[in-house]
Amino acid sequence: MELFSLMYAFFVSLPAWVLFVPPAVLLLCLVPLLWFRKRRLYLWCSAVCLVGGVLLSLGMEEKVLYLALFAGLALLPLPLFSIPKRKREKREEKLSQKFKAETEEPFPLRRNDPPKVCCFEEQHGETPEERGMKLSYVISLLEKLKREKLTPADRLEVEMLSRSVTGAQTRPLTDPEADDLSDSLSAILRLTAKYS
């Protein structure tokens, strides 16, 4: 109990001008906290300053009036924290806004492009059946070759040949493609002779 009586005696012995310290500290804290929109931290600072004001006004006769004025002063700037902070426009945004109209304009509908001219016409070839090649027999030979014990190189060659033959079975072939197919057929005959 002596501790509390010593504390009370200390706060009562302080000069009267000390009562202005908590509101001054609160106003000093208000400026940066308002700038950074830290409302919760401002409430904590105002509560600490209010407790300091209560302690400093222990020996005062008009203690209730002082605390009411101090609480009003603490609550007065709270609506300022709800005002949204103005965002600064970045340089890139300013430039994009400046040239936005030019980039959003539609391109002209009428263009002065030269007419399309084909330098060559697509060659319409004949299918292998029309050229007299029976690829169904060749495919059955390839299936027989796949069942044989082939060397890895020959197995790879058989796979490649079967892909090229099945790909050429239904589509029309140009003359160079027909020559390639003929080379593939001769390779199939060579492999068939090798493994029969």
Side-chain angles (χ1 to χ4, degrees):
M1 294 301 273
E2 276 186 35
L3 179 65
F4 291 120
S5 61
L6 284 173
M7 287 174 59
Y8 181 76
F10 172 73
F11 285 123
V12 170
S13 67
L14 290 174
W17 61 267
V18 212
L19 294 174
F20 294 109
V21 171
V25 169
L26 185 64
L27 287 177
L28 284 175
C29 292
L30 172 69
V31 173
L33 295 176
L34 186 62
W35 179 262
F36 293 111
R37 300 290 190 264
K38 302 290 184 183
R39 180 183 176 149
R40 185 174 290 175
L41 192 58
Y42 172 74
L43 290 174
W44 278 101
C45 287
S46 62
V48 168
C49 290
L50 190 61
V51 167
V54 167
L55 290 175
L56 293 176
S57 67
L58 282 177
M60 248 181 90
E61 295 176 5
E62 296 86 18
K63 177 174 29 176
V64 176
L65 178 64
Y66 170 75
L67 292 177
L69 287 174
F70 186 55
L73 179 70
L75 294 176
L76 192 63
L78 279 180
L80 295 176
F81 285 98
S82 61
I83 296 173
K85 191 174 181 180
R86 191 182 82 145
K87 295 182 179 177
R88 296 181 186 175
E89 290 185 22
K90 294 183 179 177
R91 184 172 183 256
E92 295 85 14
E93 292 175 5
K94 287 181 182 178
L95 283 175
S96 68
Q97 298 243 343
K98 184 177 180 181
F99 296 107
K100 189 174 186 178
E102 294 175 9
T103 57
E104 287 185 353
E105 286 181 12
F107 292 109
L109 296 176
R110 195 175 245 196
R111 294 172 49 174
N112 296 330
D113 293 341
K116 182 179 176 183
V117 177
C118 293
C119 298
F120 62 91
E121 291 185 20
E122 291 184 16
Q123 297 176 353
H124 299 287
E126 300 172 330
T127 61
E129 296 292 327
E130 293 171 350
R131 289 182 182 257
M133 298 179 187
K134 301 287 185 190
L135 293 183
S136 58
Y137 177 69
V138 174
I139 291 173
S140 67
L141 282 176
L142 284 169
E143 291 301 321
K144 286 180 185 176
L145 278 173
K146 286 180 184 177
R147 283 183 252 136
E148 294 289 329
K149 284 189 167 184
L150 303 174
T151 63
D154 288 341
R155 183 163 303 280
L156 181 63
E157 187 176 4
V158 167
E159 288 294 325
M160 298 291 285
L161 291 171
S162 72
R163 285 185 186 172
S164 66
V165 168
T166 54
Q169 190 173 11
T170 55
R171 66 183 169 94
L173 302 174
T174 59
D175 289 334
E177 289 174 339
D179 292 341
D180 289 342
L181 183 61
S182 178
D183 292 342
S184 298
L185 294 177
S186 65
I188 292 169
L189 285 175
R190 179 182 52 80
L191 285 170
T192 306
K194 182 178 178 181
Y195 286 102
S196 60

